Amino acid sequence: MRMRGTHRGPENLQPNRLNPQTVLAEVFGHAVFRGQQGDVVRHVTDGGDAVVLFPTGAGKSLCYQVPALCRPGVAIIISPLIALMRDQVEALKQAGVPAAMLNSSLNADEARIVRDDLREDRLKLLYVAPERLVTAGFQHMLQDAHISLFAIDEAHCVSQWGHDFRPEYRELSGIAANFPGVPRMALTATADPATRADIIERLGLQNATVFASSFDRPNISYTMVQRQKGKEQLLDFLSTRRGESGIVYCLSRKKVEEAATWLNGQGVRALPYHAGMDPGARSRNQDAFIKEDGVVMTATVAFGMGIDKPDVRFVAHLDMPGSIEAYYQETGRAGRDGEPAAAWMCYAMSDMVLRRRMIDEGAAPEEVKRIERSKLNALLNICEATTCRRQAILSWFGEAHPGNCGNCDNCLTPADTWDATDAVIKAMSAIYRTGERFGMMHVVDVLTGKATEKVGRLGHDRLAVFGKGADVDAKTWQSVLRQISASGLVVVGSEHGGLSLSEEARPILRGEQRVMLRRDTTKRAVRGERNGAATAEMGEGAASLFEGLRKARAALAKEQGVPPYVVFHDTTLRAMAERRPATLEAMAGVPGVGKAKLDRYGARFLKVISEAG
Ligand code: ADP
Ligand code: ZN
């Protein structure tokens, strides 16, 4: 197949118009488009504008890469991060596609070569940073170039509502006027309606066709457990995922460092990442995470944006994030390749208290703080839910899901509930009688009749409610208090997490309403994560061949200094391990094996397969 850029002039346009299906199969090695991918590709190939709202891992890149190869000229891809561009360009080159990038990481000579290639029509895709695109010099060059389409990736960066606002993205609104008739597309994985509307408005895409798909990530399993001994619980979780790449999010830099040190002491290869580190060390760690198999990255939220490593097998949270949006975005980094992946979180009431304080002490206007508080509470509500997590999360984003997903802890291990009305009334009266200003620990001490120094000093041992709950252990009381906070019966104050009663508590205190709560068992805390490992469903022979193929891939990647997934994805290796192709023709039928990669690597992997017997 010819894939050079064309020279201008209508007589040359026709030969370069390739069929999307052929490009998908021959260049990318995939048999069929996924979901609405094919619709987007045909629409843009035919010259239409598009807004593509697909979740992470849906395959947004192909939505512009295929039209870029089907249409004459060069596609300009605007991308916010150098790391992102580098990986994509590398992957395209491996597939035999003439692609390049222009950003501040290139030296003058390298940049000149790219500009020459652009001028000489030698490129099919050019990735540029937004600040580069809007410079007068570059605009001038583009006016002379033959542009097939503009794709604005991570388009939520244009919106202040999004988490990654980039002022440079605002300038992109000028593209429509400067390049009339050239198709434009905006792509993002943001699920938030306000951000979506803002993107369309800011980028002048009111007339574009909007392609939106469900934001469900069925391959990600969700588990949320109460934190007792967080690190031990994490280790239990990690013990089911040896050799897999994953991210462990912590709230503070200090916790990131501690978690990394501790995990290494436990035999888990973990590397820290946070904004307080020396930039060199930070990018070395990021590189190791991307290029080596099986590294665990312990990180603050500074890590993640622009990491499109497809085989992140789990995302764990040692602390509760600040909102469902943040949680969904962070966990969404797992399982981009569509293979099973796990989102695991452990949380405690103290997270709630800390987050509340961060909001209250923050600089935001009161109106914003109010929204942040309700977002935080909504997340706690999902943590404490006894029903399907997936349903609850999607419903927050306005998407209906029937529930019973079969891939979250509540669906896999249905919660055991009990009529807790009497206990809840006792807990509420302890809160009320102590003056509605003490945190969970003290309230539990009063309920269980623990004569602490504080109890004695305040005279709380003389209250009628003191020791009224001694028949129940402290852990159960904590669980009761957490659950009634989550459901809004009790409000957590910002001052040391003091608990107070809400209006909704009244009918319960008056005995007009009963309360069902979840029984927390420690078994729940360690269970839930069985179905994650990429090799879990493979037979033993296939699993060991898969490991062999991964070794071969690691060696090839290292020779070229590229991430392993640029050579082949896990999905592809898994299919090879299962099908055991014996010839190059059979190898060509494995998903993810395009022509260029077949020529380049086919023989090498065939050898691994034949040697495995
Ligand atoms: P997004 O940008 O939407 O997060 P990517 O473009 O990174 O997703 O694609 C996610 C993964 O899905 C990649 O591993 C990609 O190779 C794979 N993929 C995309 N489209 C297809 C397809 N039609 N068939 C098979 N795999 C696909
Ligand atoms: Zn579920």
Side-chain angles (χ1 to χ4, degrees):
M1 184 173 21
R2 187 164 157 275
M3 233 178 348
R4 279 308 190 71
T6 61
H7 291 280
R8 257 146 276 137
E11 71 281 11
N12 283 327
L13 293 187
Q14 235 23 58
N16 207 32
R17 255 189 210 279
L18 296 169
N19 175 292
Q21 192 63 47
T22 314
V23 168
L24 180 72
E26 297 198 352
V27 180
F28 298 98
H30 299 313
V32 285
F33 283 112
R34 250 195 213 158
Q36 298 178 65
Q37 243 177 7
D39 298 336
V40 178
V41 166
R42 281 184 289 272
H43 179 75
V44 176
T45 301
D46 290 344
D49 293 341
V51 175
V52 180
L53 308 169
F54 294 173
T56 305
K60 285 186 290 301
S61 320
L62 283 186
C63 290
Y64 55 79
Q65 289 170 346
V66 175
L69 297 181
C70 293
R71 289 177 61 82
V74 58
I76 307 295
I77 319 300
I78 295 107
S79 174
L81 288 174
I82 293 173
L84 235 154
M85 292 187 213
R86 199 191 308 123
D87 288 356
Q88 291 234 355
V89 169
E90 200 49 62
L92 285 167
K93 283 185 177 164
Q94 294 262 336
V97 176
M101 60 177 185
L102 260 184
N103 59 41
S104 57
S105 75
L106 304 189
N107 64 33
D109 282 342
E110 291 166 332
R112 192 171 34 77
I113 292 171
V114 173
R115 282 197 302 268
D116 288 348
D117 284 347
L118 175 67
R119 199 171 303 116
E120 304 294 323
D121 284 331
R122 282 193 289 258
L123 296 173
K124 286 305 295 174
L125 289 99
L126 176 61
Y127 286 74
V128 291
E131 56 274 19
R132 171 77 56 138
L133 182 83
V134 298
T135 59
F138 192 67
Q139 287 278 319
H140 198 77
M141 278 189 67
L142 286 187
Q143 290 295 347
D144 290 336
H146 187 166
I147 300 173
S148 57
L149 63 94
F150 285 98
I152 301 166
D153 206 0
E154 311 289 346
H156 58 278
C157 291
V158 78
S159 172
Q160 239 158 347
W161 303 115
H163 349 239
D164 307 307
F165 177 52
R166 300 279 226 112
E168 314 88 75
Y169 262 65
R170 286 283 158 90
E171 310 282 326
L172 301 177
S173 60
I175 296 176
N178 294 340
F179 300 91
V182 178
R184 291 175 302 135
M185 45 195 316
L187 306 101
T188 175
T190 198
D192 175 12
T195 309
R196 290 176 169 190
D198 210 25
I199 292 169
I200 292 172
E201 155 108 36
R202 299 271 171 193
L203 297 177
L205 286 165
Q206 289 86 347
N207 295 324
T209 305
V210 177
F211 297 87
S213 70
S214 164
F215 266 63
D216 187 15
R217 303 282 313 278
N219 61 316
I220 300 184
S221 70
Y222 297 98
T223 303
M224 298 171 173
V225 301
Q226 285 93 41
R227 191 167 63 232
Q228 276 127 17
K229 291 182 178 154
K231 286 187 199 141
E232 307 278 336
Q233 287 168 285
L234 175 66
L235 198 63
D236 273 346
F237 166 68
L238 292 180
S239 69
T240 63
R241 333 212 119 251
R242 291 281 164 182
E244 298 183 355
S245 301
I247 308 172
V248 175
Y249 281 113
C250 308
L251 187 56
S252 67
R253 295 169 182 185
K254 188 163 154 263
K255 278 187 96 168
V256 164
E257 296 282 352
E258 279 171 12
T261 308
W262 189 78
L263 286 174
N264 280 303
Q266 302 293 323
V268 177
R269 178 156 156 69
L271 298 171
Y273 186 103
H274 59 73
M277 286 167 64
D278 153 65
R282 205 169 57 201
S283 74
R284 267 197 307 284
N285 288 355
Q286 169 167 336
D287 230 48
F289 178 71
I290 290 172
K291 293 198 177 159
E292 293 170 30
D293 285 325
V295 174
V296 174
M297 191 67 125
T298 65
T300 60
V301 292
F303 181 73
M305 156 86 159
I307 304 297
D308 62 355
K309 184 175 166 65
D311 53 357
V312 175
R313 292 269 66 86
F314 62 86
V315 170
H317 282 92
L318 265 181
D319 303 286
M320 196 172 128
S323 66
I324 301 171
E325 284 86 347
Y327 172 74
Y328 207 58
Q329 195 188 33
E330 284 150 30
T331 56
R333 291 171 185 144
R336 269 173 180 270
D337 54 9
E339 296 282 301
W344 180 92
M345 161 163 62
C346 71
Y347 68 99
M349 204 59 186
S350 54
D351 296 346
M352 228 5 226
V353 175
L354 193 66
R355 289 273 179 192
R356 267 302 296 266
R357 197 176 314 143
M358 285 165 62
I359 295 170
D360 292 347
E361 290 172 0
E366 188 47 39
E367 172 62 14
V368 174
K369 287 184 178 176
R370 211 173 45 77
I371 296 170
E372 287 180 350
R373 279 184 213 116
S374 72
K375 285 188 166 184
L376 179 61
N377 225 72
L379 178 57
L380 180 66
N381 226 323
I382 291 182
C383 293
E384 293 293 338
T386 54
T387 53
C388 180
R389 311 267 190 209
R390 191 177 310 276
Q391 181 183 42
I393 294 167
L394 289 172
S395 131
W396 176 256
F397 294 121
E399 193 177 319
H401 184 282
N404 291 322
C405 74
N407 199 19
C408 75
D409 52 355
N410 284 343
C411 288
L412 289 168
T413 316
D416 187 10
T417 56
W418 58 300
D419 184 334
T421 314
D422 294 343
V424 169
I425 292 175
K426 274 185 204 169
M428 286 177 169
S429 63
I431 291 168
Y432 185 72
R433 297 291 168 198
T434 52
E436 299 188 75
R437 55 198 182 93
F438 294 98
M440 183 156 88
M441 286 311 180
H442 184 69
V443 173
V444 171
D445 289 343
V446 171
L447 279 163
T448 54
K450 199 168 163 196
T452 62
E453 180 276 328
K454 192 170 173 183
V455 164
R457 176 161 45 84
L458 295 161
H460 286 169
D461 46 357
R462 294 195 299 275
L463 296 173
V465 72
F466 183 74
K468 266 278 164 61
D471 53 328
V472 172
D473 67 1
K475 275 215 172 71
T476 304
W477 281 120
Q478 288 172 13
S479 158
V480 166
L481 288 166
R482 233 183 5 247
Q483 292 184 62
I484 60 179
S485 309
S487 60
L489 296 174
V490 158
V491 181
V492 185
S494 52
E495 281 283 305
H496 317 294
L499 302 175
S500 58
L501 305 185
S502 78
E503 270 305 303
E504 289 145 60
R506 282 171 191 274
I508 293 159
L509 286 168
R510 287 199 297 260
E512 292 164 11
Q513 198 181 309
R514 308 212 56 87
V515 195
M516 298 299 290
L517 293 184
R518 189 191 59 222
R519 208 184 291 283
D520 289 331
T521 60
T522 36
K523 208 167 105 237
R524 278 181 67 80
V526 290
R527 271 199 63 178
E529 264 338 299
R530 315 168 315 254
N531 54 347
T535 51
E537 285 143 33
M538 290 189 207
E540 211 172 280
S544 90
L545 175 54
F546 178 70
E547 289 312 320
L549 294 168
R550 278 184 19 136
K551 285 213 182 80
R553 176 181 68 176
L556 283 167
K558 199 152 185 201
E559 283 164 23
Q560 305 173 75
V562 298
Y565 57 80
V566 162
V567 176
F568 281 128
H569 280 189
D570 278 359
T571 342
T572 300
L573 295 191
R574 196 157 111 121
M576 276 185 205
E578 279 163 353
R579 300 185 188 183
R580 293 174 179 263
T583 61
L584 281 173
E585 292 75 64
M587 182 66 98
V590 173
V593 183
K595 271 191 176 155
K597 288 192 182 177
L598 184 70
D599 291 349
R600 211 158 166 168
Y601 305 125
R604 178 105 174 228
F605 285 88
L606 278 181
K607 189 154 169 274
V608 176
I609 295 166
S610 74
E611 281 168 2

